[in-house]
Structure formats: structure tokens, C-alpha cells
Amino acid sequence: MSSSALPHGPETFFPLFQEQQHQEERELSLLRKRMEELEATQRKQLQDLGPARERVTAGTYGDLARDKIAGEGNAESEDSK
């Protein structure tokens, strides 16, 4: 059997292997880019939510403190009756 009769020699394999590697590198590059975009979007959303979350938290705790103080004031005035 001569070497030219081999159907899948290194001459055939190497270009296919290179093409597959290039395709995988392109896919990885696209995935990295997409991941960076998602991370940037997430950071922006967290920054946007940060002040709103602080207002909600401060508002909630502020309401609780105000209700507690108001409740204590009502209890004291009822005790004085």
C-alpha cells in the first residue's frame, strides 16, 4: 500500500484540526466578550439599585423607629390617664 493511498493522512488531518481550533478560539472570544458585556450590565444595574435600595432600607428602618417611638409615646400617655 503506498502512502498516497492513505485516505486520512496528516495532510488531511492537520488543516481540519487547525480550522477546528480557529473556530473554538472564535467561539471563546465571543463568549468572553458576551461575559464582559453581562458583567458591565450587572455592575450598572447594581449601581442604579444602590441608591434606591439605600432609600428603601432607610425608609423601612426609619418607619419602624418612628412607629416604635410613637407607640412608646402613646403608651406613656395612656399610663398617665
Side-chain angles (χ1 to χ4, degrees), residues 3-38:
S3 61
S4 62
L6 293 174
H8 299 289
E11 303 83 21
T12 308
F13 175 75
F14 190 67
L16 293 174
F17 177 73
Q18 276 188 317
E19 179 57 35
Q20 182 179 2
Q21 272 193 315
H22 290 311
Q23 179 65 30
E24 289 172 359
E25 288 172 8
R26 286 188 295 268
E27 289 174 6
L28 282 173
S29 177
L30 289 172
L31 287 171
R32 277 190 210 101
K33 183 178 177 183
R34 180 65 180 139
M35 188 172 75
E36 289 171 2
E37 290 171 355
L38 289 171

Side-chain angles (χ1 to χ4, degrees), residues 40-74:
T41 301
Q42 184 181 39
R43 276 192 300 275
K44 184 180 182 323
Q45 288 173 341
L46 287 172
Q47 288 173 349
D48 292 346
L49 285 175
R53 189 173 39 191
E54 289 170 8
R55 283 193 303 270
V56 169
T57 304
T60 302
Y61 291 132
D63 292 344
L64 289 173
R66 187 172 43 252
D67 292 345
K68 183 173 182 190
I69 292 169
E72 289 173 358
N74 289 341

